[in-house]
Amino acid sequence: MEKKEQLYEGKAKKVFATDDPDLLIVQYKDDATAFNGLKKGTIAGKGVINNQMSNRLMAMLESEGVPTHFVQELSQRETLVKRVSIVPLEVIVRNIAAGSFSKHYGVEEGMVFDKPTIEFSYKNDALGDPLLNTRHALALRVVTEAEIETIKAYSFRINELLQAFWKSCGVTLVDFKLEFGRLSDGTIVLADEISPDTCRLWDSKTHEKLDKDRFRRDLGGVEEAYAEIMKRLEAKLGG
Ligand code: TMP
């Protein structure tokens, strides 16, 4: 597969064309941002970990019947994916209060929910990714009714599968963000990444944070946390 021109550079990844119009190459960077790019830094080795972790988790989800963009890992930082047009929604599923949920509703981080929550924000950096509900998304014509129902169903299924997987690694899945895309035939598939950048992952016993909150909140031990969470995954899935 020949890597051709760069199509896009995001905060954490670059995207390249290939000689197949239906396939792209994503390349993971070590760059880290938070608070809509206000905070900038580098997490050494993050690109390799996020690439490998996201691919392993997406392969697991595929084997459980959730379609994803994942095709093939090409190198430590590069992966071949199906070309999608991204649905401009960030889908956030939560099992435990943390982050913006705790802030919005005035509840302590760590409050365990009876049932998971789901929320959407409109992917638009200039507007600061504002929250929206299903009817807002329909009004903006960014998804159809059928698509958003599919996205919700996949998101809750992904939550069940990821929660069970991380539990088996001694890790609690607190919350996470997903992005979906449409293949050229309109099929909705999971896209973007699943990594410590996009999930809150706490050690089940100590509740130690093993994710990007260590960077967002200047807690130190950022690289060590990424390495530790990858080690837990590899202990379960093989190196
Ligand atoms: P929040 O509590 O800040 O809303 O974050 C919820 C989850 O979504 C958390 O696991 C981090 C992830 N997330 C992203 O992946 N990208 C983002 O831009 C934001 C704000 C959160």
Side-chain angles (χ1 to χ4, degrees):
M1 188 57 54
E2 197 193 332
K3 183 163 137 192
K4 300 182 89 170
E5 78 275 14
Q6 183 176 313
L7 300 176
Y8 173 79
E9 177 162 7
K11 297 193 192 94
K13 296 187 284 295
K14 293 178 180 178
V15 180
F16 297 88
T18 68
D19 41 26
D20 182 332
D22 290 327
L23 297 174
L24 302 174
I25 292 172
V26 293
Q27 185 183 82
Y28 285 72
K29 306 188 287 184
D30 286 349
D31 299 354
T33 65
F35 316 118
N36 199 14
L38 237 54
K39 183 181 172 78
K40 287 192 177 69
T42 302
I43 302 174
K46 168 172 91 79
V48 174
I49 288 174
N50 286 9
N51 182 40
Q52 294 175 348
M53 182 175 296
S54 191
N55 291 344
R56 299 287 186 82
L57 293 175
M58 287 204 190
M60 183 274 284
L61 294 174
E62 284 274 355
S63 75
E64 298 288 344
V66 178
T68 78
H69 72 164
F70 175 61
V71 177
Q72 189 192 347
E73 193 164 293
L74 300 176
S75 70
Q76 285 202 318
R77 288 178 186 271
E78 290 180 322
T79 293
L80 190 65
V81 299
K82 294 176 186 166
R83 182 195 282 265
V84 298
S85 86
I86 287 282
V87 175
L89 295 176
E90 298 199 346
V91 183
I92 294 164
V93 178
R94 301 177 193 267
N95 298 304
I96 297 177
S100 67
F101 186 98
S102 290
K103 200 169 152 210
H104 284 145
Y105 303 113
V107 292
E108 257 186 67
E109 290 209 321
M111 179 193 153
V112 180
F113 303 151
D114 295 334
K115 294 175 78 174
T117 66
I118 192 165
E119 72 209 41
F120 303 99
S121 57
Y122 184 32
K123 247 178 90 70
N124 184 317
D125 281 341
L127 299 176
D129 297 341
L131 280 168
L132 43 60
N133 66 30
T134 300
R135 294 287 179 131
H136 294 147
L138 295 176
L140 292 168
R141 300 205 178 98
V142 295
V143 272
T144 67
E145 218 157 343
E147 284 174 337
I148 200 145
E149 288 314 315
T150 300
I151 287 172
K152 283 185 202 172
Y154 283 153
S155 298
F156 285 125
R157 178 68 181 140
I158 292 165
N159 184 45
E160 288 174 359
L161 293 164
L162 291 180
Q163 237 186 343
F165 172 76
W166 284 118
K167 191 176 177 193
S168 75
C169 303
V171 172
T172 301
L173 177 63
V174 174
D175 58 32
F176 56 95
K177 185 264 298 180
L178 301 173
E179 294 183 26
F180 291 86
R182 296 178 192 95
L183 302 179
S184 53
D185 68 358
T187 307
I188 293 282
V189 302
L190 180 66
D192 194 51
E193 66 181 271
I194 309 174
S195 72
D197 276 21
T198 63
C199 302
R200 285 197 174 93
L201 300 161
W202 294 355
D203 180 89
S204 300
K205 286 210 186 85
T206 65
H207 296 181
E208 187 191 354
K209 296 182 196 331
L210 299 172
D211 57 59
K212 193 177 165 190
D213 269 351
R214 302 205 74 86
F215 169 80
R216 295 189 188 97
R217 302 178 185 189
D218 295 321
L219 299 175
V222 184
E223 278 89 358
E224 292 80 357
Y226 276 71
E228 172 63 23
I229 198 78
M230 190 63 197
K231 197 179 91 189
R232 303 260 189 118
L233 177 140
E234 284 181 336
K236 201 73 209 167
L237 294 180

